[in-house]
Amino acid sequence: MDQFTYAERATDWRGNNNIAESMFSQMAQEEYPVPSWIVIGAGTGGTSATPGRYIRYRRLPTQVCLTDPEASVFHRHLADRSVCAVPGPSSLIEGIGRPRCEPSFIPELIDRAYAVPDAASIAAARVLSRRIGRSCGGSTGTNLWAAAKIIADMATRGEQGSVATLLCDSGERYRSTLLDDAWLGQRGIDTGSLEAAMERFFETGIFTQSAQAP
């Protein structure tokens, strides 16, 4: 199957154990069972389209935040529909960013987008891996960085609610790359201050403005 073309239409987004139904099912016993936000990467396009369609089908107030690597085209396309491809080097974050818009991506289902620098995604993945004792990959870090920003913004406005996102990739395949200090050092990637910002967020709920970019 050509997943970049057909992913959003091959999924039964009304139910039947899709990713959106699973998220809302897991949230059912929480204090705020209907999330204010779902933070999610585009993937092939179907990954973000499924919760976006499900939310509208169920008439839920949840909004969708697209989290996207800086080098990806999706957040640029949301800002300017004429932008359908980007040149230059690709992101170090695998699985969610693309150099060109894919047919399965439906921008009308997205309420907000955050472009996350690779170093921030890596930092978030490394901090989360240490905290939960489970190795997480770069696209999970991208989700977490954007979710932290959403949560901090809600707290600043005095809003209560829940924010849901995905641990969408294991870090096992990145032990010798994104999670390896020597590998990062060889490429001049310093995640120290960004990891500290994420640690402060876990401890205090505060995500300072200076931590938004490396």
Side-chain angles (χ1 to χ4, degrees), residues 94-167:
E94 299 178 0
I96 54 174
R98 299 289 295 168
R100 67 180 180 90
C101 279
E102 305 293 348
S104 285
F105 181 62
I106 306 177
E108 292 76 17
L109 299 175
I110 307 300
D111 299 291
R112 182 185 299 182
Y114 282 129
V116 181
D118 284 357
S121 297
I122 296 167
R126 289 163 63 91
V127 170
L128 185 62
S129 297
R130 292 195 297 266
R131 283 190 163 262
I132 68 174
R134 173 181 174 182
S135 185
C136 299
S139 54
T140 291
T142 310
N143 285 350
L144 177 59
W145 190 269
K149 180 66 168 65
I150 289 276
I151 292 167
D153 288 348
M154 288 176 61
T156 298
R157 295 191 296 267
E159 297 178 10
Q160 293 184 317
S162 59
V163 175
T165 191
L166 298 174
L167 275 66

Side-chain angles (χ1 to χ4, degrees), residues 4-5 7-9 13 42-53 56 64 66 74 77-78 81 101-111:
F4 294 103
T5 300
E8 52 83 18
R9 68 197 75 173
W13 44 267
T44 60
T47 306
S48 59
T50 297
R53 284 174 157 176
R56 285 157 177 77
V64 176
L66 176 74
F74 293 125
H77 182 70
L78 286 169
R81 295 294 197 272
C101 279
E102 305 293 348
S104 285
F105 181 62
I106 306 177
E108 292 76 17
L109 299 175
I110 307 300
D111 299 291

